Amino acid sequence: QCREHLPDLLLDLHDMGTHATMITHVADAAPGIVMVFTALCCMATKNLLVWNRLFLTQSFVITMNLIAEQSTTMPSSYGYARCKRYLGISKPEDDHFAFNPTGSCVAMIWSGHVFHVMLGSYMLGLVVEAQWPHFRRRLCRNCLTAPLLKAGIVTTLALCEMTLLVLDKGHYTVDMFLAILISLLTFTNPNIEFVIFHMNPFISGFVPEGSEPMRTDILKELLRLATHKPPYDSYAGTELSTNMLENHPQPRLENPGPAEVC
């Protein structure tokens, strides 16, 4: 049995985290607060598209997390003694399954805390941008490569949650970085958004025409048509039939400038 946590550069910088403190409660509560607030905002603005994406994305990623954590068990970042106190047991044989919305003290692999903070704040950004389009702006104006304001806020909140977890020894550093990587790959992949949208057979009837997520190949073809670039298959080696586009309205751009195209 491993009495202490595995060697970790950040967790070993301090001696905090041997007992539950206010930091523990704040770090555990923050993801749930962000998720609930985002869900309420979806309801208030009647944004069923983001509501659907919020909870199906959560279900998909947490299911993958469950499989990973059941396949590989890592020593708790809390350490053996604190983990037993957290579970309210005196020896491992006393442990019994119980549902815990914040996870167990041995739920490592990747951080659900960081993932849910990023998921909730990212989807909240989508709701705000849909309701108030002027908030869809970049951190550096007139710079098309600069990240969006939404991305800056999501990153800031994730770093705040990571700081709390490091101080509380709530997760290993690699867990938190994996959560960031998985979140970014999940949120920014149009194909995953497309699949998640079609996982719910009832949502399509409540989404305005033209708002449905599209696959990457269709998005590229629409961009080519809008910018009058060479045929898609000439530089990507892929043929895209007209049938793939007939159910998706083409963008209507009048004299598109660089900002509109991107």
Side-chain angles (χ1 to χ4, degrees):
Q1 293 175 341
C2 184
R3 299 291 170 175
E4 299 295 336
H5 62 73
L6 297 175
D8 188 284
L9 181 62
L10 295 183
L11 301 190
D12 293 337
L13 288 176
H14 60 87
D15 296 327
M16 300 172 61
T18 57
H19 295 81
T21 63
M22 182 58 68
I23 295 177
T24 308
H25 302 305
V26 174
D28 285 346
I33 292 174
V34 175
M35 289 289 292
V36 170
F37 183 73
T38 301
L40 292 175
C41 288
C42 289
M43 295 173 61
T45 59
K46 299 180 181 180
N47 195 326
L48 295 180
L49 185 62
V50 176
W51 169 279
N52 180 73
R53 188 179 175 188
L54 172 70
F55 290 109
L56 286 185
T57 300
Q58 180 196 33
S59 301
F60 168 72
V61 174
I62 293 304
T63 300
M64 296 299 103
N65 181 266
L66 181 149
I67 295 173
E69 290 181 349
Q70 293 300 315
S71 302
T72 303
T73 302
M74 295 175 59
S76 174
S77 58
Y78 276 177
Y80 184 66
R82 182 183 172 187
C83 188
K84 287 196 303 179
R85 291 195 300 270
Y86 178 87
L87 296 173
I89 60 177
S90 58
K91 56 183 183 297
E93 292 77 12
D94 296 335
D95 186 33
H96 299 285
F97 174 78
F99 175 75
N100 188 335
T102 61
S104 170
C105 56
V106 292
M108 303 290 113
I109 306 299
W110 71 73
S111 172
H113 290 74
V114 175
F115 167 73
H116 280 96
V117 167
M118 294 186 68
L119 174 64
S121 55
Y122 181 85
M123 297 302 170
L124 180 60
L126 293 180
V127 172
V128 172
E129 289 177 349
Q131 194 71 14
W132 299 282
H134 61 275
F135 280 107
R136 183 177 174 79
R137 60 180 65 181
R138 300 191 179 275
L139 295 177
C140 177
R141 292 189 177 184
N142 302 321
C143 184
L144 295 178
T145 58
L148 292 170
L149 174 63
K150 171 182 60 187
I153 295 175
V154 171
T155 303
T156 300
L157 292 177
L159 291 175
C160 290
E161 180 68 12
M162 289 176 64
T163 301
L164 294 174
L165 291 172
V166 168
L167 294 176
D168 189 52
K169 289 185 168 66
H171 267 287
Y172 293 110
T173 305
V174 65
D175 299 340
M176 295 181 279
F177 276 104
L178 275 175
I180 291 178
L181 180 62
I182 291 170
S183 299
L184 293 176
L185 292 176
T186 304
F187 303 161
T188 61
N189 190 323
N191 292 328
I192 293 180
E193 181 184 359
F194 177 84
V195 171
I196 286 176
F197 175 80
H198 288 281
M199 285 174 63
N200 185 347
F202 307 104
I203 190 66
S204 59
F206 298 93
V207 175
E209 184 179 356
S211 299
E212 303 91 342
M214 290 181 286
R215 297 197 310 268
T216 303
D217 52 355
I218 296 178
L219 289 172
K220 287 182 177 179
E221 180 65 9
L222 291 177
L223 182 61
R224 183 191 70 78
L225 294 174
T227 56
H228 308 290
K229 289 185 176 181
Y232 179 65
D233 57 357
S234 67
Y235 56 85
T238 304
E239 292 185 359
L240 191 61
S241 65
T242 307
N243 294 334
M244 297 175 65
L245 299 175
E246 62 183 6
N247 295 326
H248 299 278
Q250 299 181 11
R252 301 174 182 176
L253 298 180
E254 299 180 359
N255 300 323
E260 291 176 301
V261 172
C262 297

